[in-house]
Amino acid sequence: MTEFLDGPQGRRIAFERQPGQGPGVVFLGGFKSDMRGSKAEYLAQWAARSGRAFLRFDYSGHGESSGDFEDGSIGDWAADAMAAIAALTEGPQVLVGSSMGGWISLLVARAMPERVAGLVGIAAAPDFTEQGYWAAATPAQREALMRDGRWELPSEYSDAPYVITRRLIEEGRDHLVLQSPLNMPFPVRLLQGTADADVPMDWALRLLDHAQSPDLRLTLVKGADHRFSTPECLGLIEAAIAEVLRG
């Protein structure tokens, strides 16, 4: 059942929480996704079967949470995640971050490492506003963004375009994780499809090379796309969480 948390700056964060043993698992969704996606639903069912505590939530401007998507930024959504974890979980958690949620989970781990027991990144997209959208933009597109404050980009996941705002790009620069030391003193598993059209495989390799962890592994899945939601991929996510929980 959906509940609501009064989050930062008056934002209402929708969440679902399942009781169970710890360390709990927290699912952090992707850009413009919500807690009803296939990976979140699969993990909710897995947690129920295994008796594991599980939390999923919507960032502000996403799903059932308050706010307008176009007003949001990486810093806002990371603050939402930290508020949810602080208020709704106890003790260290295993963070499972999908796409943008991979970046958010890294920000959570950097800000509150004592609350992180491990991390699983699924097509993790750290710094995607800079190494993705901004890096790929032409000079004319960059000029248009600075002038108009927004881009409208086609999306293969929706009939409505993705709106990329100037604030999203500029504020994202305050939260980059690949340009400074990234220490993760806990087990980390990264999962990446070779047919991912949104997150290039070399981003996963760059994160693998950059991050410092005593137990960090990257699994490349030939032919898997960005959704990473086939039965085989969902099984790999479950297996990665089990590895992290074993420590």
Side-chain angles (χ1 to χ4, degrees):
M1 184 180 71
T2 303
E3 300 179 80
F4 292 89
L5 171 72
D6 290 330
Q9 300 178 333
R11 300 191 290 270
R12 293 187 79 225
I13 302 171
F15 70 92
E16 285 202 4
R17 178 171 50 173
Q18 298 169 213
Q21 64 179 334
V25 172
V26 179
F27 181 76
L28 300 97
F31 188 61
K32 215 171 183 179
S33 67
D34 58 51
M35 62 179 173
R36 306 295 175 193
S38 56
K39 291 185 286 292
E41 294 286 0
Y42 178 88
L43 290 178
Q45 294 168 17
W46 163 81
R49 291 195 309 271
S50 60
R52 180 71 53 178
F54 181 64
L55 172 68
R56 50 179 163 160
F57 63 93
D58 289 331
Y59 312 111
S60 53
H62 291 67
E64 299 167 65
S65 290
S66 70
D68 186 88
F69 172 79
E70 293 182 31
D71 293 334
S73 67
I74 300 300
D76 292 339
W77 300 326
D80 294 343
M82 293 178 205
I85 291 167
L88 303 173
T89 70
E90 295 182 2
Q93 304 292 303
V94 174
L95 308 181
V96 181
S98 175
S99 192
M100 182 184 77
W103 184 2
I104 300 296
S105 66
L106 295 172
L107 292 171
V108 172
R110 189 169 70 179
M112 43 199 299
E114 73 285 353
R115 296 300 309 277
V116 181
L119 189 149
V120 176
I122 308 164
D127 303 2
F128 76 89
T129 53
E130 194 71 13
Q131 69 171 338
Y133 289 128
W134 186 254
T138 65
Q141 288 173 322
R142 294 181 179 185
E143 181 182 352
L145 180 69
M146 301 304 287
R147 180 187 66 242
D148 303 331
R150 55 186 277 148
W151 286 324
E152 290 190 0
L153 303 178
S155 167
E156 65 176 274
Y157 306 103
S158 169
D159 292 335
Y162 272 177
V163 174
I164 307 301
T165 65
R166 175 176 173 176
R167 178 172 183 253
L168 180 72
I169 298 294
E170 293 183 336
E171 199 269 353
R173 292 172 180 149
D174 296 331
H175 304 285
L176 302 178
V177 296
L178 296 177
Q179 298 182 5
S180 58
L182 182 60
N183 185 38
M184 295 188 286
F186 40 74
V188 178
R189 296 292 180 270
L190 303 174
L191 304 172
Q192 176 70 41
T194 64
D196 190 327
D198 296 291
V199 173
M201 194 166 56
D202 63 351
W203 291 14
L205 295 170
R206 184 180 176 193
L207 177 57
L208 176 73
D209 182 63
H210 179 73
Q212 297 296 315
S213 166
D215 182 8
L216 171 58
R217 302 178 195 176
L218 167 63
T219 298
L220 298 176
V221 183
K222 188 173 180 64
D225 63 15
H226 190 63
R227 290 180 176 88
F228 212 84
S229 294
T230 65
E232 294 77 14
C233 287
L234 293 173
L236 287 172
I237 296 169
E238 180 179 337
I241 295 171
E243 284 188 18
V244 167
L245 286 168
R246 287 195 296 268

